[in-house]
Amino acid sequence: LSATVPVQLLLPEVGWRGVFVLMGVLLAVVSAVIGLTLPSEPAQPIQSLASQWGGYLEVFGDRYFWRYAVAAMVMQSSFVAFQGLWAGPWFITVLGLDEAAAARSLFSINLFLMVAYMVLGVVLPRWVRLGWTVPRLVAWGAGIMLGSLGLIAVTPGPWAWLLWLPLALGSTTFMITQSYLSLTFPAALTGRAFSALNLLMFIGMFLTQWLFGVVIDLMAGIAAIGPGAPAFRAAMGVWIVLQAFAYALMVGWRVGPRVRPV
């Protein structure tokens, strides 16, 4: 939210350096508040480095972990990369919005995303009582993401940014996956399972941020496609194929968890 319209309004007044200085000050204040107010906890027994890495190897060797980790790394990570880097250029280059309209659209999407996270936290326990499982919910959310990307890739016009709202909605289910997947391991490994999935998602975000631009440049060099909006749409088509593979793996791979989450 703060990186959209607020930054656009601040830039003419303080410039990029001023924005980053303000960010640094705010981060320092928040860090100080956390450090001064967070309750202390008992010291935990220190594990050897070999024991810690052995736990990670056990997590990465689990097939059920990879059933969902691939989808999180390809689908959720791509959404975060698009949200943070490529959505703005898409709105400007493909949909023809100016910078102000693109910033307002991004602000609306992020506001919708924040509300969606809050609502999901409220309704999830009720859905579970009605018989919905986390894997089923994630499968539906990923399916909504995949369908939304297909529509985004082919729909023109300034109002097509609204198609990013269901994409954001579907992405919220992957945050549940992090907690759910960590609970499919013995208690001693839940923290490492959570961290391992988080690491893979950050790797996926970086790769998408970089490779999406590489693919756009490659598509722009193909005479039948050309630069601008056609190159963006063709690159999105490549990502849809990658995400379809990850989705099929998540839904179709019939491997079960070692521990059934409560």
Side-chain angles (χ1 to χ4, degrees):
L1 285 170
S2 60
T4 57
V5 172
V7 167
Q8 186 199 27
L9 295 176
L10 280 172
L11 278 178
E13 305 298 328
V14 300
W16 278 111
R17 293 182 186 277
V19 168
F20 277 92
V21 168
L22 178 60
M23 288 171 56
V25 171
L26 291 175
L27 285 171
V29 170
V30 171
S31 299
V33 171
I34 292 174
L36 294 173
T37 61
L38 191 67
S40 60
E41 60 180 16
Q44 300 296 321
I46 299 175
Q47 293 183 334
S48 67
L49 187 62
S51 174
Q52 294 180 45
W53 281 111
Y56 278 111
L57 290 175
E58 191 173 345
V59 170
F60 284 122
D62 187 88
R63 293 186 299 167
Y64 193 73
F65 173 83
W66 285 106
R67 176 180 173 181
Y68 289 92
V70 171
M73 190 177 182
V74 175
M75 302 187 75
Q76 172 66 4
S77 296
S78 292
F79 169 74
V80 177
F82 291 153
Q83 173 198 19
L85 181 62
W86 288 108
W90 182 280
F91 294 161
I92 293 171
T93 305
V94 179
L95 303 185
L97 302 181
D98 58 28
E99 291 185 0
R104 289 193 298 269
S105 299
L106 286 169
F107 181 86
S108 300
I109 292 168
N110 284 290
L111 179 62
F112 175 84
L113 183 64
M114 182 184 70
V115 174
Y117 277 127
M118 296 171 64
V119 171
L120 183 63
V122 173
V123 303
L124 181 61
R126 302 175 186 178
W127 286 351
V128 170
R129 288 194 294 269
L130 292 175
W132 280 75
T133 63
V134 171
R136 182 184 177 189
L137 182 62
V138 174
W140 272 95
I144 291 172
M145 292 180 69
L146 195 57
S148 299
L149 275 182
L151 292 174
I152 287 170
V154 299
T155 305
W159 290 101
W161 71 268
L162 291 169
L163 294 171
W164 291 70
L165 297 180
L167 179 66
L169 178 65
S171 75
T172 60
T173 60
F174 273 100
M175 302 313 294
I176 308 170
T177 307
Q178 290 185 274
S179 298
Y180 168 81
L181 200 57
S182 66
L183 294 176
T184 65
F185 288 88
L189 294 178
T190 54
R192 268 164 280 195
F194 196 98
S195 298
L197 183 61
N198 219 30
L199 171 65
L200 292 177
M201 290 176 64
F202 271 96
I203 292 173
M205 292 173 205
F206 163 73
L207 289 175
T208 298
Q209 286 182 332
W210 169 53
L211 287 174
F212 194 75
V214 172
V215 174
I216 289 174
D217 289 341
L218 290 174
M219 295 299 175
I222 299 175
I225 298 176
F232 271 75
R233 294 189 188 279
M236 187 64 78
V238 172
W239 251 252
I240 291 171
V241 172
L242 293 174
Q243 295 198 18
F245 168 78
Y247 180 75
L249 182 68
M250 181 182 70
V251 175
W253 194 4
R254 297 303 178 183
V255 57
R258 296 165 56 187
V259 178
R260 290 285 177 184
V262 179

